[in-house]
Amino acid sequence: ISNSLFGMGNPLLDICAIVDKDFLDKYTLKPNDQILAEDKHKELFEEIVKKFKVEYHAGGATQNSIKIAQWMIQQPHKVGTFFGCIGKDKFGEILKEKAKEAHIDAHYYEQDEEPTGTCAACITADNRSLVANLAAANCYKKEKHLDLEENWQLVEKAKVYYIAGFFLTVSLESILKVAKHASENNKLFCLNLSAPFICQFFKDNLMQVMPYVDVLFGNETEATAFAKEQEFETEDTKEIAKKAQALPKVNSKRHRIVVLTQGKDETVIASSDKVKTFPVLKIDPKDIVDTNGAGDAFVGGFLSELVQEKPLDQCVKAAHYAANVIIRRAGCTFPEKPDFK
């Protein structure tokens, strides 16, 4: 049904390029990381365009996942709704165009104080280092957009909600309003840990939202950072999943599900009573174009089945399928149709 999946986050234009180790070192970037741009990264955005062959792709973690879910579902169009903030500029127009092409129902808050946000995806082999310059994305305002009646009606239409942890740096009050709505109406609220820095420097915001989280996503690096901050005293992914699953929860009608990916290693899922593992689809390393968007695609695949009320193992199967498709392509892009059964 249209608008049954709702996402809210940072709409960014990805600037993707295969770079070299010198470039990473110059800007003190880890090969595989996600960070927010600081002053020392200002030149990076100019240099990457001058020095390397860049491709522009519509990005932003949550928006990617909503698009992938829509792609997996195909019909009807506009199952996925997306809210976020952009600038009144060329990059903003591209994002609107790409959202239309992906058949998602994007409602952007448009402002002219800041330009549309960008994300430099610095690719080396099968690693990707992401540097996000949020700009306009950081200007999302609850009272200027989410609270407006025509927008809030779209929130109420949804049954599954997904927000990447990245948005915790932008508008905690918007997230809490959506999370509480989901909880009070026994709908599904999903959150992603998104990055180690979210678990470390925004853990107060993260833990304010956690009691409303029905499905928590993360990868092994984020899980380790989360466990450390929460003093779980373990680095074992299965143990971390179990402990995160048991954290306090407001809506007791639903048990939390924790879904942790580990790259090429098996995916770990903790539900009310047990921890299960699911192997990912095998892929020849030489078929991997870039892993940018793999985690977003995993979530998108998972959500596409969740919104259709399919069982957990079917959600995971779809998640693994979508991630496998995306890593064979540049950026978070996909072929015309999925061949998922």
Side-chain angles (χ1 to χ4, degrees):
I1 318 151
S2 59
N3 304 108
S4 53
L5 174 63
F6 175 85
M8 178 167 62
N10 300 331
L12 305 173
L13 191 72
D14 284 352
I15 305 168
C16 309
I18 293 168
V19 301
D20 47 35
K21 190 177 178 307
D22 292 346
F23 185 80
L24 294 182
D25 292 345
K26 180 176 176 181
Y27 294 103
T28 56
L29 301 175
K30 293 177 194 158
N32 217 14
D33 203 7
Q34 310 93 311
I35 61 165
L36 292 178
E38 297 167 46
D39 286 342
K40 65 178 177 189
H41 300 115
K42 284 274 186 284
E43 276 84 62
L44 179 152
F45 288 86
E46 289 152 29
E47 188 179 335
I48 195 168
V49 173
K50 281 200 194 96
K51 206 167 166 184
F52 304 99
K53 188 179 163 298
V54 302
E55 289 188 10
Y56 293 93
H57 296 288
T62 307
Q63 183 168 243
N64 283 344
S65 294
I66 299 296
K67 283 180 181 171
I68 295 275
Q70 180 66 55
W71 171 71
M72 290 283 289
I73 291 166
Q74 290 283 311
Q75 297 288 348
H77 290 166
K78 296 190 174 180
V79 170
T81 314
F82 178 77
F83 287 5
C85 181
I86 58 175
K88 295 181 179 172
D89 51 24
K90 183 172 144 257
F91 283 177
E93 288 306 314
I94 294 174
L95 286 185
K96 286 200 273 191
E97 198 45 53
K98 295 287 182 191
K100 234 193 224 96
E101 283 170 22
H103 306 300
I104 62 166
D105 196 11
H107 293 256
Y108 298 113
Y109 168 47
E110 297 178 46
Q111 48 74 60
D112 42 23
E113 317 250 301
E114 285 282 342
T116 297
T118 50
C119 177
C122 311
I123 300 176
T124 50
D126 58 358
N127 288 317
R128 51 102 189 99
S129 199
L130 307 177
V131 185
N133 179 24
L134 297 184
N138 204 23
C139 301
Y140 190 84
K141 299 275 183 293
K142 174 177 165 289
E143 60 285 354
K144 293 246 171 85
H145 194 263
L146 186 67
D147 291 345
L148 303 182
E149 195 176 334
E150 67 270 24
N151 292 334
W152 186 251
Q153 277 175 342
L154 289 169
V155 176
E156 292 182 322
K157 270 181 87 171
K159 8 177 238 204
V160 175
Y161 301 85
Y162 173 65
I163 298 177
F166 291 124
F167 202 58
L168 288 162
T169 76
V170 175
S171 182
L172 177 63
E173 54 284 2
S174 297
I175 300 176
L176 285 170
K177 182 172 183 182
V178 171
K180 285 174 180 169
H181 167 80
S183 187
E184 284 158 13
N185 294 278
N186 196 27
K187 297 175 182 180
L188 282 159
F189 182 79
C190 315
L191 185 79
N192 203 316
L193 294 174
S194 291
F197 83 84
I198 298 289
C199 304
Q200 291 157 344
F201 308 117
F202 292 89
K203 71 169 167 193
D204 293 349
N205 288 11
L206 176 62
M207 295 322 283
Q208 278 190 59
V209 178
M210 195 60 74
Y212 302 101
V213 177
D214 295 297
V215 184
L216 180 68
F217 295 100
N219 66 23
E220 75 279 36
T221 345
E222 294 148 13
T224 307
F226 181 69
K228 198 177 162 193
E229 292 301 324
Q230 299 301 318
E231 295 173 351
F232 283 174
E233 292 177 346
T234 178
E235 287 193 356
D236 179 283
T237 310
K238 291 181 189 153
E239 282 304 308
I240 296 170
K242 214 188 266 178
K243 292 193 169 189
Q245 195 280 328
L247 289 166
K249 193 166 181 304
V250 172
N251 177 11
S252 54
K253 291 197 197 90
R254 292 183 187 275
H255 292 291
R256 181 180 295 119
I257 297 165
V258 178
V259 183
L260 301 177
T261 58
Q262 310 185 88
K264 64 181 186 319
D265 298 325
E266 57 194 18
T267 296
V268 172
I269 300 201
S271 48
S272 53
D273 45 354
K274 53 189 173 298
V275 179
K276 283 168 117 173
T277 58
F278 297 82
V280 305
L281 295 167
K282 292 267 179 285
I283 183 167
D284 187 328
K286 67 173 192 302
D287 290 332
I288 299 176
V289 175
D290 80 57
T291 56
N292 181 27
D296 300 337
F298 176 94
V299 172
F302 194 99
L303 295 172
S304 72
E305 300 296 300
L306 192 65
V307 79
Q308 298 177 71
E309 297 173 10
K310 297 279 171 62
L312 195 56
D313 52 359
Q314 185 69 3
C315 295
V316 183
K317 203 177 146 188
H320 285 160
Y321 167 79
N324 186 275
V325 169
I326 286 341
I327 56 181
R328 297 166 189 268
R329 305 167 67 91
C332 197
T333 60
F334 34 85
E336 194 192 339
K337 283 193 162 71
D339 59 1
F340 175 73
K341 297 293 170 282

